[in-house]
Amino acid sequence: MTDINRRNVVKLALLAPFVASMAGTAFAQTPASMPEHKMPDMGPEMNKVHWLGDEQIGMLMYPGMTVMDLIGPQCMFGSMMGAKIHLVAKSLDPVTSDAGVTIVPTATFESCPRDLTVLFAPGGTDGTLAAAADPATLAFMSDRGARAKYITSVCSGSLILGAAGLLKGYKATSHWSVRDVLAGFGAIPTEARVVRDRNRVTGAGVTAGLDFGLSMVAELRDQTYAECCQLVSEYDPDPPFNAGSLKTAPKGVKDAMVLLLADFVKKAKVLASATTV
Amino acid sequence: MTDINRRNVVKLALLAPFVASMAGTAFAQTPASMPEHKMPDMGPEMNKVHWLGDEQIGMLMYPGMTVMDLIGPQCMFGSMMGAKIHLVAKSLDPVTSDAGVTIVPTATFESCPRDLTVLFAPGGTDGTLAAAADPATLAFMSDRGARAKYITSVCSGSLILGAAGLLKGYKATSHWSVRDVLAGFGAIPTEARVVRDRNRVTGAGVTAGLDFGLSMVAELRDQTYAECCQLVSEYDPDPPFNAGSLKTAPKGVKDAMVLLLADFVKKAKVLASATTV
């Protein structure tokens, strides 16, 4: 390990969010104004890592989205030095999530770069169905999706991809409650935490965004970079209970949640049957 | 399982964010305007669950916070029917996280309820150190902490608790990089994903907020409610790599991240040594 002195790390901003302090700049808060980067010598193996990139990541936002669907992946994407994350909405008006977190967009459907490395859609319930039936949203997804290197989603965000005609003939997943509904959009529902089929990468429900995000960082940079993100975000999960899937949840819990999501599932099926892709 | 018809679920809003669609209201987007709730009959065991509550949850926000530290717990807290979540900042001006996500506060230090069920602090790096040295922030944390039922944090947010004198004599954890620094605030650094000592509950780095949040839901309601949150958020983690802790990360990854966080750790130690609690 090479000695690092103040002079040669002053412009360093690795793993932006957590170690922004090292950059000596406000870089992480203003992704648009990237400072010059200079990595320290970390030895032959680490020096091979693709620390710097120029990915353009477009993350859709809409009223009623589940904010954790957005922030799980953003937690990992946000650590990629040089990448630009665009939080894209219909207008620059703040967008309120299903649980009342209001986030300010950084781009509109018009101002979002035309050529994205990653196009991403978060999920939710009623808000997601509304977004998946909104012509302007579908036009944006369809347009950027035609050129994006990766077309991605977490949770029921895959319903939006499906409604935009972006999953036809592709394996994909979703929140467990609506995974099978994807067949209505011509997709092939597939059970896994993260499903990749060519350049479509979809995550399962809500918290799967962390697993999805790490997979994407490894794909966009390399596994070592993703491992750095994992260590810095201390992603060493240890759920206090074992009820995170239909296979492990107690029967009462499962039955109750299936019951309570039944109306959403019904509406999602109506959406799929009304979609011609 | 009892049959549920449209009439008796029309006012139901369980697990607010994800199944808000069932409420037939905009409840989840406007936590202040809770509709009347009516749970369906779900059988003897499930009917015992404490579905409704009136917790007041104050979540601190400040410039440079790590947004995932906030949203992990919020993902779980936000599912508690009847609970009110206050996103509290110095003013109502939008607050920008270390990775450029800007969130609108819902309360100020003045307007936040005086008596909180849960007082929570997220972490970060430079922004966290600034918040932990800011007299107004410390006065707010100290005042609400004097009466809060639970005093909590995730990641380096425990540095703020420590600086506010809220961890003296308590076992606590933090992000791995600064866990030992907590001793400087009179705390007892303790290695675990979630550490509870009496009414202090602290989580480890960033993504530990999910484990922390689930534990808190179980504490505030019951385990079954927490299991419902876990199933709805599909928290069945499956990290693609095994590098989430100092014990599992490859040596090169660990050495690089320790190196890159060294300046932050040094500054955190200076903060602790300057704090008289």
Side-chain angles (χ1 to χ4, degrees):
Chain A
M1 183 64 60
T2 307
D3 277 339
I4 304 297
N5 60 38
R6 294 291 304 164
R7 202 172 58 249
N8 66 5
V9 298
V10 77
K11 295 225 175 227
L12 171 69
L14 172 69
L15 297 162
F18 205 82
V19 290
S21 58
M22 296 205 62
T25 71
F27 138 67
Q29 287 184 43
T30 51
S33 60
M34 286 288 299
E36 183 191 330
H37 291 291
K38 188 178 185 314
M39 289 301 292
D41 178 2
M42 296 194 286
E45 200 173 323
M46 296 304 279
N47 289 347
K48 281 187 217 152
V49 175
H50 295 86
W51 296 115
L52 288 175
D54 58 0
E55 297 89 349
Q56 298 284 337
I57 298 174
M59 305 186 85
L60 179 69
M61 301 212 302
Y62 52 85
M65 65 183 177
T66 294
V67 70
M68 178 64 203
D69 290 8
L70 182 80
I71 297 303
Q74 194 277 343
C75 169
M76 303 302 176
F77 287 145
S79 292
M80 295 197 306
M81 283 196 296
K84 281 192 186 162
I85 298 179
H86 308 275
L87 301 175
V88 192
K90 233 174 183 173
S91 75
L92 291 178
D93 292 342
V95 173
T96 300
S97 80
D98 53 6
V101 177
T102 300
I103 298 183
V104 183
T106 63
T108 64
F109 292 167
E110 289 71 37
S111 69
C112 175
R114 279 176 48 81
D115 296 296
L116 292 171
T117 315
V118 179
L119 176 66
F120 171 82
T125 52
D126 272 5
T128 308
L129 298 174
D134 175 59
T137 303
L138 293 178
F140 168 76
M141 295 301 290
S142 173
D143 175 77
R144 296 313 191 274
R147 291 179 307 280
K149 190 168 174 192
Y150 297 94
I151 294 169
T152 70
S153 65
V154 160
C155 196
S156 58
S158 52
L159 297 177
I160 299 175
L161 300 187
L166 294 169
L167 290 182
K168 201 171 179 180
Y170 288 87
K171 290 182 189 167
T173 193
S174 193
H175 188 270
W176 55 260
S177 62
V178 287
R179 189 175 57 228
D180 290 347
V181 175
L182 294 178
F185 301 111
I188 303 145
T190 304
E191 189 179 345
R193 190 87 174 147
V194 180
V195 171
R196 178 172 178 180
D197 184 356
R198 288 157 283 173
N199 72 337
R200 267 61 167 178
V201 189
T202 50
V206 191
T207 58
L210 293 167
D211 305 308
F212 160 84
L214 271 183
S215 301
M216 288 302 298
V217 171
E219 174 75 21
L220 295 165
R221 301 290 172 93
D222 20 48
Q223 180 173 333
T224 301
Y225 200 121
E227 288 173 333
C228 289
C229 293
Q230 188 176 4
L231 181 58
V232 167
S233 64
E234 211 164 339
Y235 188 41
D236 185 29
D238 186 19
F241 312 111
N242 187 22
S245 80
L246 289 179
K247 286 174 187 154
T248 56
K251 188 176 181 308
V253 167
K254 192 175 75 170
D255 289 350
M257 294 306 100
V258 167
L259 171 73
L260 292 173
L261 285 163
D263 190 55
F264 167 58
V265 175
K266 199 167 72 181
K267 289 180 191 166
K269 283 179 185 163
V270 170
L271 173 79
S273 68
T275 304
T276 316
V277 290
Chain B
M1 184 62 60
T2 308
D3 276 338
I4 304 298
N5 60 38
R6 292 292 305 165
R7 202 172 59 249
N8 65 7
V9 299
V10 76
K11 295 228 175 223
L12 171 69
L14 173 69
L15 298 162
F18 205 82
V19 291
S21 58
M22 297 205 62
T25 71
F27 139 66
Q29 288 184 41
T30 52
S33 61
M34 287 286 298
E36 181 191 330
H37 291 290
K38 188 178 185 317
M39 289 300 293
D41 178 3
M42 295 195 286
E45 199 174 324
M46 296 303 279
N47 288 347
K48 280 187 218 153
V49 176
H50 295 88
W51 296 114
L52 288 175
D54 58 0
E55 296 90 348
Q56 298 283 338
I57 298 174
M59 306 186 84
L60 179 69
M61 301 211 302
Y62 52 85
M65 65 183 177
T66 294
V67 71
M68 178 65 202
D69 289 6
L70 182 82
I71 297 303
Q74 195 276 343
C75 169
M76 302 302 175
F77 288 145
S79 292
M80 295 197 305
M81 283 196 298
K84 281 192 186 161
I85 298 179
H86 308 275
L87 302 175
V88 191
K90 233 173 183 174
S91 76
L92 291 178
D93 292 342
V95 173
T96 300
S97 81
D98 54 6
V101 177
T102 300
I103 298 183
V104 183
T106 63
T108 64
F109 292 166
E110 290 71 37
S111 70
C112 175
R114 279 177 50 81
D115 296 295
L116 293 171
T117 314
V118 179
L119 175 66
F120 170 82
T125 51
D126 272 3
T128 307
L129 298 174
D134 175 60
T137 304
L138 293 178
F140 168 76
M141 294 300 290
S142 173
D143 175 76
R144 297 312 192 274
R147 290 179 306 280
K149 190 169 176 190
Y150 297 94
I151 293 169
T152 70
S153 65
V154 160
C155 196
S156 58
S158 52
L159 298 178
I160 299 176
L161 300 187
L166 295 168
L167 290 182
K168 200 170 179 180
Y170 288 86
K171 289 181 189 168
T173 194
S174 193
H175 187 271
W176 56 259
S177 62
V178 288
R179 190 175 57 230
D180 290 347
V181 175
L182 294 177
F185 300 112
I188 303 145
T190 304
E191 190 179 346
R193 190 87 174 146
V194 180
V195 172
R196 178 174 178 181
D197 183 356
R198 288 157 282 172
N199 74 336
R200 267 61 167 178
V201 190
T202 49
V206 191
T207 58
L210 294 167
D211 305 307
F212 160 84
L214 270 182
S215 300
M216 288 301 299
V217 172
E219 174 75 20
L220 295 165
R221 301 290 173 91
D222 19 48
Q223 179 174 334
T224 301
Y225 201 119
E227 288 172 334
C228 289
C229 294
Q230 188 177 4
L231 181 58
V232 167
S233 63
E234 211 164 339
Y235 188 42
D236 185 29
D238 186 18
F241 312 111
N242 187 22
S245 81
L246 290 179
K247 286 174 185 154
T248 55
K251 188 176 181 309
V253 167
K254 193 176 74 170
D255 289 348
M257 294 305 101
V258 167
L259 171 73
L260 291 173
L261 285 162
D263 189 55
F264 167 58
V265 175
K266 198 167 72 179
K267 288 181 192 166
K269 283 180 185 162
V270 170
L271 174 79
S273 68
T275 304
T276 316
V277 292

